[in-house]
Amino acid sequence: MRLLAGLLLFLSALPLWAQTDERVALFADSIRYDDPSKSIIAEGNVEAYYLDNRLSTESLRYNTETGQIQAAGRIRLDTAGTTVLLADLATLSDDFRDGLIQGARLILDQQFQVAAVEGARSDGQFNTLYKTVATSCSVCAQSPTPIWRIRATNVTHDEGERRLYFQNAWIDIFGVPVLFVPRLRVPEPGVERASGFLVPSFSSSNVYGVGTKIPYFQPIGDHADLTLTPFLTTGGAAILESEYRQRFAAGALEVNGALALTDGLEQQDLRGYIELNANHELPDDFVLNIAIYRASDRSFLGQFDYSDDDRLTSSISASRVRANSFVDVRAEAYQTLREDEIQGEVPFVLPQATYRKVWHRAGTFAFEAQVLNLGRVDGRDVIKGEVTGDWNGTFTLRNGAQLTGLGTIDGQIYSVSDDPDFDEDVLLRTTPTIGIDLRWPWARYGRRAAHVIEPIAQVLYSDTLGDRNVPNEDSLLPEFDETNLFGISRFPGTDRREIGLRANTGISYTRYDPSGWNLGVTAGRVFKTRVDRQFAEGTGLRTRASDYVTAVSAELPGRFRGIGRSLFDTDLNFKRAELELDFNSDEFDVGTSYTFLQEDDSDPILGLVPERQEIAFDTRYRVTPNWEMIGEWRYDIAAERSIFAEAGVTYGNECLVMTMAVARRFTNVNNVSPSTQFSFEVQLAGLGVGRSEGWPRHACRGIPKG
């Protein structure tokens, strides 16, 4: 009844508003009409609505002749969007578009606040505050100075453009003025695409000295933007970084790059890099992908901490993936950054075309055709055509065992030039393979877990007909592990095929626990009728009875994960071993790994590969709710030296995230000597898209102000 009476009284006193379609309402504990002053007076829990605006206050007086509203006592004006205006006294127009405010405070997106002595509202869009202090930090009674703030003579908030304009602004850190800006424009919190400078970052390195980056972001229409970042160092380097992004109705484009106007290292050549990625949907379900990654020289990326890559790949491809077919046509080029490689001897692919089709009838039959052209500036050129057909069919026996028949035939044709080892212009080769696969899973279901043991035996025979000696471009580095224990061929490509009679044997054990505690173990070995000289001794596949391959995995729900792999002979001499352990929680993460590779001089292509023993460790620890530490360390046990180390600390709360880190690379990479890098980044929450999610608010010992 109170709400209904208030609404009827308010509308009866406002005949002009009542005749419109605009939503108007007034609610209060007490509403009365004062005839001498021609005013409606509302008191106690007053709420007034006009369109999407809501005014809450303790008392309100509305003059029906002048259309002026006077409000007093804890005034709150919620405008359309995420803007909230607080005040002690206010004089407003009846549509809340214009007015004067005393003791004003502007709150944006529930995180950024601007306090002022007085303010004004105009055109229903502009809020201007005078003698202001702005921050997104909590202000405590015992410590009224926030971690950071912006002091200005006045601030204008444009609700339409969602911008804040500061005049004569000082940026204070812990109450100490650090930067004066005559005019400062920042986007409203939550605005993701607003032109202007972004938060700068700082770094230092013994290669280029101390460096600073100040990005400038510029939207270009609704679907594109450009970021330009000057990178200046005390070593004399002046580098311009750029990032261009654009979205299309059926694709996207992103271009990153850097150009050294001067590198500060007395290298006169033009230096820099470019990275382009684009995709576009084509007719008939095809997708075009373009990736270009090039650097001016071998050391630029490493010297200025852009990348540790030692090879850069550029490609263009058109592909289509359907339920039973795959088509891919591509060209690729590679740039080597390795000191021991000659660029002219690195191949380029122009083109490579692949088609694969699968039918599910009486088993699974697949057909694949491929054409590949490899060219070099200096060295061998190869044109390769390949056709493959394969079939497999699985049958379940009465005892639960699964028997699978396998059959594959692979035909290849090669055209080789600029290689004295191949006299014939055309080489022809066919490799048929037949085999059977027997798996017999045994399962036991207990009260706490299910256990599955599965012995597997696979017998295969294959042979090569025609030219056995063909160029080897894609099968130079075969490896033997649990992933290819039951593979038809252990070579990574098709230029080499595993031949002869062989038996792949193994057993797996898996424990499934409803609570998520799982364990898996796999072990196996390959038996052959003869020594296989296709494989180097270090692979563990050369002898008639191969080395043992094992894999162990364990997982605890949401906390722990462990993986171990190994390759060893009958005398327990390990050729390879890997171990990775990870523990994750809300406050603490830690991961460690160990890698061992035995010294090997059996591979004629690689030559002597020294022994490698490496341990790696990384961790994250939330020391307190607002402080977090990270660390990473890699150590070469065989060489008795560190490879890489990094330590960092982050402080975060509701208004900023601050990160400091130092990293040291102890090895030479791509003609770049060992270096140490220091970095410092600050993100101020509440300015544009800046947020500090995941960090708790700064704790006040007393009651926070406001």
Side-chain angles (χ1 to χ4, degrees):
M1 294 296 295
R2 163 185 171 268
L3 301 180
L4 180 61
L7 179 60
L8 292 176
L9 179 60
F10 188 55
L11 292 179
S12 64
L14 302 176
L16 293 178
W17 281 9
Q19 294 174 8
T20 70
D21 294 331
E22 298 170 337
R23 183 169 61 89
V24 182
L26 174 65
F27 307 104
D29 293 339
S30 169
I31 301 177
R32 58 188 176 87
Y33 182 72
D34 183 61
D35 187 64
S37 63
K38 306 299 181 184
S39 299
I40 295 176
I41 300 172
E43 296 177 332
N45 300 314
V46 181
E47 292 186 5
Y49 295 86
Y50 178 78
L51 295 178
D52 294 328
N53 302 308
R54 172 187 174 186
L55 176 65
S56 302
T57 183
E58 296 177 1
S59 64
L60 178 147
R61 176 183 290 269
Y62 173 68
N63 190 300
T64 58
E65 292 185 344
T66 63
Q68 188 180 79
I69 295 175
Q70 292 181 333
R74 295 189 178 183
I75 301 168
R76 176 186 175 114
L77 176 61
D78 293 85
T79 64
T82 59
T83 302
V84 177
L85 191 61
L86 305 179
D88 298 325
L89 295 173
T91 301
L92 300 170
S93 61
D94 52 10
D95 56 5
F96 304 148
R97 293 177 58 86
D98 302 283
L100 298 175
I101 302 169
Q102 298 291 324
R105 177 175 295 178
L106 184 68
I107 301 177
L108 302 174
D109 200 24
Q110 298 182 357
Q111 61 172 323
F112 189 73
Q113 56 181 319
V114 183
V117 175
E118 59 182 4
R121 179 168 173 80
S122 59
D123 297 331
Q125 177 177 341
F126 301 101
N127 301 308
T128 302
L129 306 180
Y130 303 94
K131 299 181 180 180
T132 63
V133 176
T135 185
S136 59
C137 301
S138 298
V139 179
C140 302
Q142 293 80 7
S143 180
T145 302
I147 297 176
W148 69 267
R149 65 185 180 186
I150 302 175
R151 294 181 293 113
T153 55
N154 63 76
V155 176
T156 299
H157 172 228
D158 187 338
E159 294 182 8
E161 296 294 330
R162 301 187 68 185
R163 300 289 189 275
L164 289 164
Y165 300 88
F166 293 81
Q167 297 285 335
N168 301 319
W170 275 100
I171 300 177
D172 297 351
I173 304 296
F174 294 106
V176 178
V178 296
L179 180 64
F180 175 75
V181 183
R183 284 177 173 79
L184 177 64
R185 182 186 67 178
V186 298
E188 181 183 306
V191 175
E192 297 184 355
R193 304 182 72 251
S195 62
F197 288 98
L198 305 181
V199 178
S201 61
F202 304 91
S203 62
S204 69
S205 167
N206 58 327
V207 175
Y208 57 76
V210 178
T212 180
K213 297 182 180 182
I214 306 177
Y216 183 84
F217 178 80
Q218 178 62 54
I220 305 174
D222 294 333
H223 308 290
D225 55 57
L226 174 66
T227 303
L228 296 176
T229 306
F231 180 22
L232 304 176
T233 74
T234 57
I239 301 174
L240 180 62
E241 302 175 4
S242 63
E243 179 185 23
Y244 177 78
R245 303 182 302 177
Q246 184 169 359
R247 293 287 184 182
F248 305 96
L253 170 67
E254 182 174 343
V255 184
N256 297 294
L259 177 65
L261 307 178
T262 174
D263 63 4
L265 303 174
E266 300 182 356
Q267 298 189 26
Q268 302 300 322
D269 296 335
L270 189 67
R271 308 189 71 200
Y273 83 94
I274 185 171
E275 182 176 7
L276 181 149
N277 289 280
N279 62 79
H280 197 276
E281 297 178 6
L282 301 176
D284 201 23
D285 298 329
F286 277 89
V287 177
L288 175 69
N289 286 283
I290 302 175
I292 299 175
Y293 197 4
R294 302 288 291 180
S296 60
D297 53 78
R298 297 177 188 254
S299 56
F300 178 81
L301 294 176
Q303 285 176 337
F304 295 98
D305 303 312
Y306 289 114
S307 173
D308 289 331
D309 292 342
D310 57 4
R311 281 182 182 154
L312 308 181
T313 301
S314 300
S315 65
I316 178 172
S317 68
S319 60
R320 183 184 68 190
V321 179
R322 289 180 173 173
N324 297 318
S325 65
F326 171 73
V327 181
D328 183 83
V329 180
R330 66 179 51 241
E332 293 184 350
Y334 311 97
Q335 180 185 8
T336 181
L337 305 181
R338 299 182 179 181
E339 301 177 14
D340 56 350
E341 286 186 343
I342 301 174
Q343 181 62 48
E345 297 178 356
V346 176
F348 56 87
V349 178
L350 186 65
Q352 178 180 4
T354 304
Y355 172 77
R356 183 172 178 84
K357 177 73 173 179
V358 178
W359 295 269
H360 298 283
R361 296 176 183 175
T364 300
F365 176 75
F367 170 80
E368 183 172 323
Q370 184 180 94
V371 176
L372 172 66
N373 179 34
L374 286 178
R376 292 177 173 86
V377 176
D378 302 312
R380 179 175 64 199
D381 300 329
V382 178
I383 300 176
K384 173 185 174 182
E386 182 174 4
V387 176
T388 303
D390 59 77
W391 172 87
N392 70 77
T394 301
F395 309 91
T396 302
L397 306 181
R398 291 183 177 180
N399 60 0
Q402 292 183 330
L403 181 65
T404 302
L406 306 170
T408 301
I409 185 167
D410 181 46
Q412 296 167 317
I413 180 171
Y414 291 83
S415 175
V416 186
S417 59
D418 295 332
D419 191 338
D421 293 335
F422 296 93
D423 298 330
E424 300 181 23
D425 292 335
V426 178
L427 304 173
L428 297 173
R429 186 180 73 169
T430 302
T431 306
T433 302
I434 58 173
I436 58 172
D437 183 297
L438 180 63
R439 300 168 184 252
W440 194 1
W442 305 336
R444 178 179 179 271
Y445 298 92
R447 290 183 300 174
R448 296 185 178 180
H451 307 266
V452 178
I453 299 177
E454 185 178 35
I456 306 171
Q458 188 182 75
V459 179
L460 300 169
Y461 176 77
S462 57
D463 199 2
T464 296
L465 308 176
D467 296 298
R468 293 178 178 267
N469 184 27
V470 298
N472 185 6
E473 297 282 358
D474 61 11
S475 300
L476 299 175
L477 301 174
E479 291 187 357
F480 181 35
D481 55 31
E482 80 282 0
T483 62
N484 59 18
L485 173 60
F486 299 102
I488 292 179
S489 176
R490 251 70 64 162
F491 288 102
T494 60
D495 288 338
R496 292 292 181 268
R497 289 289 195 180
E498 198 169 351
I499 60 175
L501 180 63
R502 55 200 181 274
N504 305 326
T505 63
I507 188 170
S508 67
Y509 165 75
T510 307
R511 180 188 187 275
Y512 299 98
D513 191 308
S515 65
W517 196 113
N518 297 322
L519 174 67
V521 180
T522 300
R525 198 179 190 189
V526 178
F527 296 92
K528 302 182 181 182
T529 58
R530 58 180 176 81
V531 174
D532 195 341
R533 302 188 183 279
Q534 289 182 296
F535 294 98
E537 185 177 349
T539 62
L541 289 166
R542 189 179 183 90
T543 57
R544 295 177 60 183
S546 75
D547 290 346
Y548 293 94
V549 61
T550 65
V552 180
S553 64
E555 183 176 358
L556 294 177
R559 295 288 183 176
F560 172 79
R561 182 178 64 92
I563 299 175
R565 300 183 179 92
S566 63
L567 179 67
F568 56 88
D569 59 21
T570 54
D571 296 326
L572 294 181
N573 294 317
F574 283 80
K575 289 185 172 65
R576 184 176 67 247
E578 301 174 65
L579 177 64
E580 180 180 345
L581 301 174
D582 295 290
F583 176 83
N584 300 283
S585 68
D586 294 337
E587 294 80 20
F588 180 64
D589 297 340
V590 61
T592 183
S593 64
Y594 170 78
T595 303
F596 168 77
L597 296 176
Q598 185 186 58
E599 179 181 303
D600 183 20
D601 61 354
S602 62
D603 195 307
I605 297 175
L606 296 179
L608 175 63
V609 178
E611 177 183 309
R612 177 186 172 190
Q613 288 193 69
E614 179 180 312
I615 59 173
F617 173 85
D618 65 90
T619 184
R620 176 195 65 88
Y621 179 46
R622 185 68 67 92
V623 183
T624 69
N626 296 100
W627 287 92
E628 184 173 279
M629 300 179 65
I630 62 168
E632 182 179 352
W633 179 53
R634 291 170 55 195
Y635 183 78
D636 189 334
I637 300 175
E640 297 182 346
R641 65 173 183 177
S642 295
I643 301 173
F644 178 81
E646 181 180 16
V649 60
T650 299
Y651 174 82
N653 60 20
E654 79 285 352
C655 67
L656 92 164
V657 178
M658 179 175 59
T659 300
M660 294 179 290
V662 59
R664 171 71 178 175
R665 180 170 45 79
F666 296 88
T667 59
N668 292 291
V669 178
N670 304 338
N671 292 324
V672 180
S673 59
S675 63
T676 301
Q677 182 188 21
F678 174 80
S679 60
F680 176 69
E681 295 183 358
V682 177
Q683 176 180 306
L684 302 180
L687 298 182
V689 296
R691 287 186 176 271
S692 56
E693 297 178 356
W695 297 96
R697 297 181 65 86
H698 175 66
C700 291
R701 296 180 180 178
I703 300 176
K705 290 187 176 181

